[in-house]
Amino acid sequence: MKAFTYKRATTPAEAAAAAARTPGARFIAGGTNLLDLMKLEIETPAHLVDVNSLALDRIEATPDGGLRVGALVRNTDLAADARVRRDYAVLSRALLSGASGQLRNKATTAGNLLQRTRCYYFYDTNMPCNKRQPGSGCSAIGGFSRHHAVVGASEACIATYPGDMAVAMRVLDAQIETVRPDGGMRTIPIADFHRLPGATPHVEHALEPGELITHVKLPRPPGGAQVYRKVRDRSSYAFALVSVAAIVQPDGSGRVALGGVAHKPWRVEAAEQQIRSGARAVADGLLAGARTTEYNAFKIALVQRTLAAVLADTKKA
Ligand SMILES: Cc1cc2nc3c(=O)[nH]c(=O)nc-3n(C[C@H](O)[C@H](O)[C@H](O)COP(=O)(O)OP(=O)(O)OC[C@H]3O[C@@H](n4cnc5c(N)ncnc54)[C@H](O)[C@@H]3O)c2cc1C
Ligand code: SF4
């Protein structure tokens, strides 16, 4: 691991300003992703700003009937919160399908949103990777690509966003609140937070250097039957091959987002108009323009079948 300096911040504004002062600085929260990347020298920050002392570990009710989740709320606590379990079941289920109990005890809401891809070549520093080293090439294109994207990919990168929580937050239309190094605050809809790879796969999200996530806002409860289903190689401690988050209302209208298929949680609002027509029609809309490889072509049928199972589950819920 490369040497780095370390400072514990006490206020969000101080944390953002401190991170912006040192080029290449990173925030550290639970450390469950960042420390692994540092040990492998995939990330080599010169300075770490520890955000664990910021008072951002509460889940508060908002005046419009929603919830405001602090950036440091641990995944375990968010999944177990009685309001989340009752009103945002899709989120609680997505969180509980992720990682392991020990990891969820450390992992934070902000860190989870910002976890990096699990592309094998991104982790193998002997192999070219445009995300790790811009301009070096993509080893997954023409390589082993079982976990890789089938929609929204580019000639530069076919990696997927690996997380579960953000897929549920996408279907819930969550908003991400931040503080910038100059002390200014802004709100980013989750739809605009994660980016597609395009020609710059190393640029993964909408945050500016030094910009700190302070909260995630959940709009008032959407009601309906809420389901999260994750298909993976093992029943625990494995990332999604495909996941589906769905909220379906009694009148048959609804929302659907996919995990494991793109560089960001994948939602196509127009496809949701087809929910009453059945899973195949929704899947066709979600996966329009899909491009597969010999290793990940199975994801098309897997999305269709998982979506069918999820829509059936929403009728039972
Ligand atoms: C073995 C293993 C299995 C896993 N399986 C799953 C899984 O199945 N599903 C799943 O969803 N996840 C899984 N994960 C990922 C895990 O959920 C993430 O590592 C975790 O959520 C990251 O949170 P953290 O607080 O530890 O982040 P950290 O590692 O501390 O930080 C991650 C990134 O977020 C940035 N960051 C942290 N806080 C802020 C902030 N407030 N504002 C701006 N930037 C910030 C950091 O600078 C860093 O770039 C797995 C991880 C491991 C190690
Ligand atoms: S898919 Fe993306 S992360 Fe994986 S090797 Fe290619 S450029 Fe790197």
Side-chain angles (χ1 to χ4, degrees):
M1 191 190 277
K2 292 257 163 71
F4 57 88
T5 52
Y6 169 92
K7 180 137 180 23
R8 190 170 272 246
T10 52
T11 67
E14 180 202 325
R21 263 198 309 274
T22 315
R26 287 277 187 283
F27 301 116
I28 183 158
T32 61
N33 192 209
L34 183 60
L35 287 178
D36 283 353
L37 294 168
M38 288 172 65
K39 286 179 198 162
L40 294 166
E41 297 192 1
I42 294 163
E43 294 225 31
T44 53
H47 183 60
L48 287 185
V49 179
D50 187 334
V51 297
N52 284 288
S53 297
L54 307 183
L56 297 173
D57 56 355
R58 284 187 289 276
I59 306 171
E60 297 158 332
T62 60
D64 64 356
L67 288 180
R68 194 157 177 253
V69 181
L72 286 168
V73 173
R74 307 287 154 174
N75 289 179
T76 298
D77 298 330
L78 185 56
D81 184 275
R83 296 160 294 181
V84 174
R85 285 166 56 95
R86 186 189 62 215
D87 296 331
Y88 305 95
V90 67
L91 177 59
S92 183
R93 288 175 187 180
L95 282 158
L96 291 175
S97 77
S100 65
Q102 279 172 317
L103 282 159
R104 293 194 296 270
N105 289 343
K106 285 297 284 180
T108 62
T109 303
N112 193 307
L113 279 172
L114 288 166
Q115 64 179 286
R116 303 199 70 189
T117 186
R118 293 282 159 172
C119 171
Y120 339 104
Y121 303 106
F122 176 70
Y123 278 81
D124 183 347
T125 49
N126 294 311
M127 300 297 286
C129 169
N130 286 323
K131 188 183 280 298
R132 184 170 19 81
Q133 196 179 347
S136 61
C138 172
S139 300
I141 297 175
F144 186 57
S145 48
R146 176 172 160 76
H147 273 267
H148 289 71
V150 295
V151 276
S154 71
E155 298 304 319
C157 178
I158 59 170
T160 50
Y161 173 79
D164 294 290
M165 180 193 79
V167 181
M169 287 185 172
R170 179 69 180 92
V171 92
L172 288 165
D173 286 325
Q175 297 191 313
I176 293 148
E177 296 182 335
T178 71
V179 60
R180 288 170 154 145
D182 65 2
M185 292 183 275
R186 67 169 172 152
T187 300
I188 307 168
I190 193 162
D192 301 332
F193 185 75
H194 296 100
R195 296 176 51 135
L196 291 178
T200 54
H202 58 291
V203 183
E204 295 172 345
H205 50 73
L207 297 180
E208 295 167 5
E211 189 169 4
L212 177 86
I213 298 176
T214 56
H215 300 91
V216 173
K217 250 173 59 181
L218 301 177
R220 53 198 291 272
Q226 304 187 16
V227 175
Y228 187 80
R229 188 182 278 229
K230 174 175 178 178
V231 184
R232 47 189 156 172
D233 283 327
R234 286 189 303 260
S235 60
S236 173
Y237 208 47
F239 290 91
L241 290 166
V242 159
S243 69
V244 177
I247 302 174
V248 179
Q249 302 297 340
D251 68 1
S253 64
R255 311 176 199 168
V256 177
L258 302 179
V261 299
H263 201 255
K264 59 188 286 187
W266 191 252
R267 184 168 169 202
V268 178
E269 276 83 348
E272 295 166 359
Q273 308 306 317
Q274 301 299 321
I275 289 180
R276 291 186 188 87
S277 309
R280 183 59 189 262
V282 183
D284 286 351
L286 281 164
L287 299 177
R291 287 174 66 187
T292 60
T293 69
E294 64 177 300
Y295 298 108
N296 70 11
F298 72 92
K299 287 192 178 185
I300 303 294
L302 193 55
V303 167
Q304 291 164 355
R305 289 200 296 269
T306 310
L307 199 50
V310 164
L311 293 183
D313 280 353
T314 62
K315 291 188 179 125
K316 293 182 220 147

